[in-house]
Amino acid sequence: MDSNDDWITILGFGSLLSERSSRTTFPDLRNFRLGRVKNYRRVFGHPASIFFQRGIANLETKEMSSLSTEYVEGHPGFICSVFEVPNDDMMDNGVPSPTFLEREEEFDIIEVPYEETDGKVKSGILCAAGTDSIYLERWGKERFEANYKKYGVDKIWGWERDSGLRPCAVYLRHCYLAAKSMGDSCLDSFLDETVLVDRQTTVRDYLKDNPQVLETEPPPSLVGRYSG
């Protein structure tokens, strides 16, 4: 974390890989840079309600998954974005505020070590995989039914590796463009150090088999939000 309690360090791994995209969520961010999170795997492993709400999920093809991270001891991890934002009621003694939880409703928001490009190890805030039981405890059954079951989705977390869950095309393109904007090393990490729900297929391999994904543009109303 930033040594000043008035600021906290955020670690981005999807849409937050680009500074432009990050500023739509955190307009007052500072010191945008790259780092590496180790011992965590980046996975397209859960459906996101917001994709259904915005009309960019496809239940029929299962192209509805978003990114999360999961702890895997010894895993080389992935290149992430690193930046500081004003605390402003986001974290209190390592505990996320209701405001922060609302923004990242399905995740387990945790503090983890990361490496700066100079090798120094510091700590920052990362959105990790949660559980359905935590979601229900936090938000209640009504919200779960309104945000997921209403769209034909019975669970958020715990999708089997052979479930056929696929990345939301508009979101995957958005993350690809975000990573590309940060240079070759960031893009290569996104392509090779991100896997689908089977934990084997990399994004690079998936895009080879599904090149149309990178031509899947967002609806006009979402161009500013989902264009890298």
Side-chain angles (χ1 to χ4, degrees), residues 86-104:
N87 197 339
D88 289 349
D89 189 35
M90 288 181 63
M91 298 290 292
D92 184 12
N93 293 321
V95 178
S97 69
T99 303
F100 199 3
L101 288 173
E102 187 74 39
R103 180 182 294 160
E104 308 289 355

Side-chain angles (χ1 to χ4, degrees), residues 25-43:
T25 303
F26 302 105
D28 298 320
L29 72 80
R30 69 182 188 187
N31 197 17
F32 194 93
R33 60 203 186 275
L34 295 177
R36 176 170 285 274
V37 173
K38 294 183 176 180
N39 297 309
Y40 281 83
R41 177 165 53 200
R42 179 167 47 192
V43 185

Side-chain angles (χ1 to χ4, degrees), residues 41-46 65 70 159-167 194-203 205-206 209:
R41 177 165 53 200
R42 179 167 47 192
V43 185
F44 276 100
H46 76 286
S65 70
E70 57 190 20
W159 286 71
E160 290 75 15
R161 296 190 179 206
D162 62 355
S163 63
L165 188 67
R166 299 166 64 190
T194 311
V195 291
L196 271 59
V197 70
D198 63 5
R199 273 65 172 182
Q200 292 182 332
T201 304
T202 64
V203 165
D205 289 339
Y206 181 74
D209 293 336

Side-chain angles (χ1 to χ4, degrees), residues 153-200:
V153 177
D154 292 327
K155 61 182 176 181
I156 308 170
W157 302 103
W159 286 71
E160 290 75 15
R161 296 190 179 206
D162 62 355
S163 63
L165 188 67
R166 299 166 64 190
C168 169
V170 167
Y171 177 70
L172 172 50
R173 175 181 176 272
H174 174 45
C175 294
Y176 173 92
L177 294 174
K180 186 178 180 180
S181 75
M182 292 304 294
D184 291 344
S185 63
C186 186
L187 178 59
D188 284 341
S189 173
F190 180 72
L191 293 171
D192 299 322
E193 297 179 327
T194 311
V195 291
L196 271 59
V197 70
D198 63 5
R199 273 65 172 182
Q200 292 182 332

